[in-house]
Amino acid sequence: MQGIGIVLFTLGGKNLKRSLRGLTDVLDKTVVVNDGKTIKPEDKSLLGVSEGLNIKKFINTVYDKYPSACYNMGIRELLKDESVEHIFIINDSIEILDDTLFQDFIDVHKKTKLKALYYCRDEDDPRGSFNNTRLTVDLGDNEITLNMGTSGSLVYLHKDVFKKCGFFDERYRAAVEWSDFSYRLSQQNLSTPFLWFPHVKSVGDKLIVNDNEVMYEESMEDRILRGMKLFYMKYKCQIQDLINTYSKKDVITKLKTKSRTS
C-alpha cells in the first residue's frame, strides 16, 4: 500500500505484541510511540516480533506524555515523509486480522471526500445504551454508519487535516482528546458534523479488540472530568449540549455536498 503511515500508541505489555502481530506487513510504515515502561526496539521478545523487525521508528516517552502528545510525535515523524498521504492512528487494543482494512478506509475517503473516518462500536455509545448508530449510508461497494461516539482506537486522517486543524491538544490526559480534535475537524468542514462519527462498516470484520492490560495510574473518572472541564473552557459548551445540533437531513446534505466537491 502506497502513501500510508501508521502511528501505534501503546503502554506496552501483551497488547503491544498482539497489535504488532497484525501489522507485520506494514511495520516499515509504522511509528510506535510507547508511553509505558521503556522497551528497547532491539528487544524482539518484548515486542513480540521475531526476525525481520523493521519498524519505521520506535519512540519511548515513559509515562509522562499521555496519548495526545504521543499521537503528535508520531504524526510529525510521519509527515517528514512527503509521500505519506493517509495517516492511521491505532492504539494497542486493536489487533488487525486483515490489513486490507487500510484500503477500505482510503476508498471510502476518496468516494466521500471525508478526511476523517473512525472505527466505532456499540460500546462507544456515550449514553451507555449500546445503540451507537444514528444513520447508515450505502455507498454501493461499502457502507458507512454515522455514530454518536468513538473511542479513537482506530482512526483514518488525511494529512491535510493537520495543515488546516493543527495537532492534538496535549492538555488532555487520555480522555476527551478525540472529542476535542473531532470537534475542530467538524468546524473546519473536514468530516461529518460533530457527534456523527463516520465508521467504515467493512473494517469491523477485519480486526479484534483486546482488553487493555496496562493503564495510567490516574483514574479514568479523574481524566474524564479534567477533559470535560478543558473542553468547556475552550468552547463554552459541554459535549452533550452538541448532540442534537444537527439532524439526519443536515448530515445527508453534508455528505452529498462533499462527495460532489474535489
Side-chain angles (χ1 to χ4, degrees):
M1 270 170 287
Q2 298 299 313
I4 78 165
I6 299 163
V7 177
L8 173 60
F9 170 76
T10 183
L11 292 178
K14 292 181 180 178
N15 273 22
L16 176 57
K17 296 181 181 182
R18 293 167 179 158
S19 196
L20 284 171
R21 182 171 60 197
L23 297 172
T24 300
D25 294 333
V26 287
L27 283 176
D28 62 331
K29 305 177 189 301
T30 302
V31 176
V32 178
V33 189
N34 171 42
D35 201 29
K37 184 178 179 181
T38 300
I39 299 172
K40 295 180 180 179
E42 61 269 21
D43 191 337
K44 296 182 175 66
S45 63
L46 287 175
L47 291 172
V49 180
S50 56
E51 297 304 317
L53 181 65
N54 189 28
I55 293 172
K56 186 178 182 73
K57 188 161 185 177
F58 196 98
I59 303 172
N60 279 306
T61 63
V62 194
Y63 280 129
D64 62 354
K65 296 297 183 185
Y66 296 99
S68 292
C70 294
Y71 298 153
N72 288 342
M73 284 187 282
I75 293 161
R76 288 188 173 102
E77 188 65 34
L78 291 175
L79 291 177
K80 292 177 183 178
D81 183 346
E82 293 184 359
S83 70
V84 172
E85 181 179 4
H86 310 288
I87 293 177
F88 295 87
I89 300 180
I90 303 175
N91 75 38
D92 64 8
S93 66
I94 298 293
E95 182 178 347
I96 293 172
L97 305 176
D98 181 350
D99 63 15
T100 61
L101 67 79
F102 296 120
Q103 191 61 50
D104 291 349
F105 276 110
I106 294 169
D107 290 344
V108 170
H109 150 69
K110 289 180 177 178
K111 193 159 192 175
T112 63
K113 307 300 189 295
L114 299 175
K115 297 195 175 184
L117 299 163
Y118 304 80
Y119 169 65
C120 302
R121 302 181 297 164
D122 281 340
E123 291 88 335
D124 299 324
D125 181 356
R127 301 162 299 182
S129 61
F130 290 80
N131 185 22
N132 201 18
T133 300
R134 307 180 77 179
L135 178 67
T136 300
V137 179
D138 187 351
L139 300 177
D141 53 355
N142 212 320
E143 282 187 345
I144 60 172
T145 61
L146 285 301
N147 300 269
M148 188 173 291
T150 179
S151 67
S153 58
L154 169 57
V155 178
Y156 163 83
L157 298 167
H158 190 275
K159 70 176 182 179
D160 287 351
V161 305
F162 305 106
K163 298 176 184 176
K164 297 179 180 180
C165 201
F167 293 85
F168 286 86
D169 187 331
E170 297 183 9
R171 290 174 291 179
Y172 290 100
R173 294 184 175 180
V176 193
E177 64 270 2
W178 275 108
S179 293
D180 179 278
F181 192 70
S182 298
Y183 183 68
R184 287 155 50 205
L185 290 174
S186 69
Q187 295 298 97
Q188 293 292 327
N189 195 31
L190 295 167
S191 190
T192 44
F194 184 56
L195 297 177
W196 293 85
F197 296 104
H199 158 80
V200 180
K201 197 170 180 181
S202 61
V203 307
D205 295 328
K206 298 181 179 182
L207 58 81
I208 57 176
V209 182
N210 297 305
D211 291 333
N212 276 314
E213 298 173 342
V214 184
M215 302 293 289
Y216 287 104
E217 291 183 2
E218 187 178 8
S219 75
M220 175 60 78
E221 182 179 0
D222 288 341
R223 286 182 273 130
I224 290 174
L225 287 173
R226 175 189 171 89
M228 296 294 285
K229 288 178 181 178
L230 178 55
F231 190 94
Y232 183 81
M233 181 186 74
K234 292 179 68 174
Y235 306 115
K236 299 300 182 282
C237 64
Q238 299 288 359
I239 292 172
Q240 60 266 31
D241 297 335
L242 301 170
I243 289 175
N244 297 315
T245 302
Y246 296 95
S247 67
K248 288 184 180 180
K249 183 177 179 181
D250 294 329
V251 175
I252 292 170
T253 300
K254 175 76 72 175
L255 286 169
K256 287 180 177 179
T257 301
K258 288 195 74 64
S259 66
R260 290 194 295 264
T261 60
S262 59

